[in-house]
Amino acid sequence: MDKSLRKPVIAGNWKMNNTPEQTKALIEQMKPLVAGADCEVILCTPYIDLYAAMEAAEGSNIKIGAENCHWAEKGAFTGEVSAQMLKAAGVPYVIIGHSERRQYFGETDETVRDRVRAALNAGIKVILCVGEVLGERELGITDEIVRKQTKVALSGVSEAELANIIIAYEPVWAIGTGLTATPEQANEVCSVIRSLIAELYSKDASDHFVIQYGGSMNDGNAAELLAQYDVDGGLIGGASLVAEKFAKIVEAASK
Ligand code: PGA
């Protein structure tokens, strides 16, 4: 088993933060700080900031992603944006199934599955989020929940398409709370996901599959989390809004 089969991926999730102007300024600040990264660097921004972000990131090693996409190509879905639209705009990545979408906007395992399908069909790479809420952890059903979320989201995804998917394990109780999973807890669930990939696809697919941890990862705890065998990167909320903090996480992933 060789962790070096997988290149770490550090992705920022800006959530509902930053105007286009602020986006430009923050990316300009980040560019020199992450230029030497030995990992993939992605920033996912609100739709309205995508053009400003791509323009600011042009020619650098920072790739840009959206934070969601709809499952239909087009139609009467007020307020939504399709994967085809993102593709046409030149956006290479999209987050799907973030717990805030599941919690506040009625996202289900099935709508997550459909959005994953739409993104892959459009040729956009997916950061698929899974994770248990605190009550589920306390009941001891974390593995079961994460396995189910993953299985449903990947139903219909071929082994070849797996190369275009990253999974972010994000325990909901650790998101934006300052409570981080211990490195052992993070690794344990990432390893459950990796075993499921082996079960559903192949050992080879699971060895190459990138699994991130997310949930209050910051410049202070990133190195320890990223050193875990099954943790191949991070999905970063709060700390991705501060250039120096984000750059330190990128640096930790590059070691
Ligand atoms: P956080 O968010 O780093 O602010 O906890 C992570 C996420 O929601 O992806």
Side-chain angles (χ1 to χ4, degrees), residues 11-13 15 95 98-100 129 168 170-172 174-179 213-218 234-240:
N13 172 14
K15 310 191 179 185
I95 295 173
H98 190 276
S99 66
E100 285 148 19
C129 301
E170 299 204 300
V172 180
I175 294 178
T177 57
L179 281 177
Y213 166 79
S216 301
M217 189 188 272
N218 58 42
L235 183 57
I236 327 292
S240 73

